[in-house]
Structures are given as structure tokens and as C-alpha cells.
Amino acid sequence: MARLCACLADTTGQARAHLAAMGAAVAGRPPVEVPGAGLGLLTGEPGRATGPFAALGRTAVGEVTLHNRPVLLAALAAGAAAGAAAAPPRPDCSDGELLLHCWALLGEAGVTLAEGMFVLAVLDGPDLVLIRDHVGARTLYYARADGAWAASTSLRALRRWPALATSMNLSAVRSFLTFAYLPGEETLLTGVREVLPGRVLRLARDGRVTETVHWEPHEHVEDPAPADPAGHVLALRSLLEQATAARLPAAQPAAVLLSGGIDSSLVTALAAKLHSHPVHTYSISFGDDLPNELGYSGLVASHCHTRHRILNVSGAAVAARLAEAAALLDSPVGDPLTVPNLMLAEAVAADGASVVLNGEGGDPVFGGPKNLPMLVQEMHRTPGAPWDEDRATAYLRSYRKCWTDLPVLLTEPVLDALRDAPRLERHVEPYLLPEAGGSPYAMDHLLNRLLHCNLRTKGAHHILTKVERLTSSRGVEGRSPLFDRSVIDHAFATPPAFKLRGTAEKWILKEAVRDLLPGTVVDRPKSGMRVPVQQWLTGPLRDLSHELLLGRRSRQRGLFRPETIRTWLKGEGALLPRQGGKLWLVLTLELWLRSYDV
């Protein structure tokens, strides 16, 4: 296992010195030498980095998994037949080499054709080019220091870079406490930025950065109120089958994380229908005394004839492994399912599987309950009224995290330092208020704007990054068919009334697979998994929470007011019923900061 590093400096010696300082070993002799540049691999870190490989005078390293190799090989063969200057690659070349050929021969159009999970760092002429996949299944960071550029799929590598001398980014702290993840380019390390999904960044030696977009969802709703949804339903079913089939492992059993909701259930059903090998499913239990979805997941497993396994997760296990799970993430995720997700990945790996499918993506692509408060707010909004909030502000409030608590949670010095920080609304305004931002990706329908926002924020920076980091840490590749580019394109070409039909959320998704699942699963309302956060915080995590959040190290950092933390830990004040979730955010952040020695 390895992650990648790349550097662009004045001399080759400087580039190699910077790579060594970040802990990267120079990745062999590059097929194409570029003076003042270096490519490296961080061996021992969980990832799928390979390289260097070359095409048409360019050399690269990457973490690349492609799901549509035949399409790309055909496009390259057509380019060669049309008189391109180079022959297409060997049919058995690596995924990274194939993607580099697409970039070298076809440019951004070649990257747009690719479907998969990928990041690529390319030495392209005098520049360093960074490419990230459409939805953000894999993550890439970059920074500039000492007249040099460095990029890596490991945030720890950039943290180790002495020339950067990075520290805690207070603006990102505020963003995390508001969203429970970091929704854009910023990271918790000053000077380090994240490449956004669907982007190509060209970094020049003189410090210039040029960003272009190789893919962004577009709204293509030809008839917003067609009489017959059958065409949209059948087209979606075909795309779901293609997306699932492309992600099934070859010549081995398939593994699926099955919660019992419609999204993971339909992926399970499609995998069972399309795969010629056994399908293994995995569910989580937090104990019989809590509301759960095990009845539904068991029903789906029985209906689809999978080999089903229930993993019991105790509060003691969560307490023992929470720091470990936080340390595996390049950015903290305030999700109490991190440890259970890690344990699921271990169970899948122990059963010998190298690939596990999941149902992530249904809500941000087809419309889950996150959108309902916003739709209600829009219906009853009175612009200009004293109580009125603009759409972006209402969106932040709808998260119900620590945003409204920041004045009493953060210390005065931190609040003073943040007075001139960029507005938090900037993370969502380009999607929700395109008329103000002049975005070329403006969407007319409010539901599509909300989905676009959720896809580009929570989808890329919470859901996918959590799945990728936790599964890859155990040598397993997590794949998400509902985040397939063609499925997303179809969703934004579907009339909104087919996604939210009356009170039925994700209606078209359910109709597309109705014949594959029991009606009780298809038609049940979304409930989500009940995670006993409050029980953990007052039980096995109680002592750890007090020690971490009120201890000397946390006080010296000076982020949080001790009196507020004490009140929250006691369950007092006006915090209920969100006490557990808010404390979880603060605890997760503290563990992450300690792991990165920030």
C-alpha cells in the first residue's frame, strides 16, 4: 500500500529533498525526466498509489481505479486512427497509465470520459497538473512553500514538510463545527488546500494556479411535468445495473454493506442479480435494546439469498478505537459511524474480499430528508421580514450542528481571530444562489440546487472520503454505484417531481428497483440507523471525553471555553436534544488535532 507525493521546485535536487522531508521515496527513475521535479510514493500508508508511468512525454503517479476501461481504450484507438501522434496503450496497461494516456492524447475530454475513483499527479511540460475524479472518491492536497509546489494524497505528508511550517487553520475549525466535515478547499492545516472534485489544477513554477472543470452536474430537464414517468424509470434501471456491474469484483464473491435502507438494499439486490459469485452482506447492531433496521436488512438478505453477517458494535469498542479511526482520516468527520465503518471494513477483509459495495449516494443524488426543512422554509419565507433568512444561511442552520453555539463554544481570542474570516455561506452559495455567483452550472429547480449543493459538499467531503479512507486502511476498496457519473447525470435530467413525489422521497429510485425487493423495504420511510451516541458519552466514553476536552493539552490549545464544555458534559443548558451530536463533533476534532500534533 502507498500514497503519492509530487514536487515542483527550482532544481531536481530541491524537489527530491522536499519529497524526502515529507517521507516519500522517489518513485524510481521517471520514464520522462523533468528538471526541477520529482514524484514519490509514501510506502506503508494505506492507498493504491502506483507509478511512475509515462505517455506522450508526460510522466505521472496516481491512485487510479477505472470502471470503464473498454470505453477509454476505444476512445484512444479512435484518436490514433484519426491521426494522433501516438499509438494507443497496451490493452493490459495499468489503470493509471490508461488515464494518463487519456489526458495526454485527449486532454480534459479524455478525463471526462473516465468513470472511476482517481487522482493523478502529472509532470506536464514545465508544470505540475493535478486531476481529481468527478465526485471526489479519492482526495488530493497541495501547498506552496520555499518557492516550490508539493502535492500528496496524504495530508500527513504535507504536515511533515518543514518548508511549509503549517499550523491550525481556525477558519476550517469553524467550518467543521458548522458542517461536521470540511465542505470545500480548506483543510485544518494553514497553507494546504484540497483539489475539488471534477477539477484539473495546473501549478506553474512561478506560483500561478489555473483551475479548469472537467465535469460538473448540469440540469437537463426537458419536460418538468411529463405525464408518464416510465421512460425515466426504465433508463435509470439500466444505468443502475451498468453502474453496479462495473463495480463488482472479478472472479470472487461480492461484499455489500447492507443497512436495510432502500439505497444499500437496491445495491444488494442488483449485485445478487448480476454477479455470478456469492454475495456477502454485512450489517451493524448496537444492541437489541435500541431501535434498529436489522429486521429490514435481514429481510433483504433472505430475499436476495446472500450470506449475511451482523457485526455487534459495543460502546466499549467505540471508546477503545475512536482515536484510531480519527487518525485514519485526512480531515475529521463528525460521524459516530466511523468506528463501526472501520470494523465493517475489517470484517470484510477478514472474509477475504478486496472490494465492498455500499449504498452511499442515494440521498445527495436523488433527494433524501436533508432537503425537506429547506423546502418548507422556502414555502413560508417572507423576504424582507425581520425574521427572514437567506437560503444559504437557512442551509447552514438546517445542519443543526454547532453553528449557533459558536459564540459560547469558542474562546474570545479565537472569535477575535475569526472576525475577518470569509463567510461560512460561501461554501454553499454557488449552488444555492447561482444568480448571485454567476455560476455556469445554475439550476432552475430548487430541489436540484439542494441536491447539487449536497453532492458537492457532503458527498465529496464527508461520505466518500470517509468510505475511502476507512476501507483502504484495511486493504479493501469501497465502491459506490449510486455515485456513478451516468447515474448522477440522469438524476439531474429527471423532473424533480419524480424524485420528490408528494411525500415520497427518492420516488424514481424506488420505482426503478421495485421488482427486485419486498414492498415493505421499498415503501418504508427513511429512518436511518439509530446510533447511541448519548449512551456512549455518558457510559464508556465519559472519562475519555472529560480527560480530552478538559485536560491540559486542550486548555493550552485555547479553542473551547471550559465552562461550556463542562455544561455540555453534564447535559445541562439549552443543548438538548442535540447534546450528543455536538459533543461528538468537539471530541472528534480534539482527537484529530492530537493525531496530527496540531
Side-chain angles (χ1 to χ4, degrees), residues 53-56 58 60 64 66-80 84 86-90 93-115 118 120 122 124 129 131 134 200 214 485:
F53 33 78
L56 294 178
R58 294 142 176 101
V64 182
L66 298 174
H67 302 315
N68 64 337
R69 285 179 60 95
V71 171
L72 302 181
L73 288 167
L76 291 172
R90 305 181 322 274
C93 70
S94 69
D95 283 358
E97 186 179 349
L98 179 55
L99 184 62
L100 179 59
H101 272 83
C102 290
W103 165 254
L105 185 63
L106 305 174
E108 289 175 18
V111 177
T112 303
L113 281 176
E115 175 60 45
F118 57 82
L120 199 65
V122 186
D124 192 327
V129 173
I131 302 171
H134 307 76
V200 175
H214 67 79
R485 187 184 74 247

Side-chain angles (χ1 to χ4, degrees), residues 353-365:
S354 60
V355 170
V356 59
L357 275 61
N358 59 66
E360 302 286 8
D363 287 351
V365 176

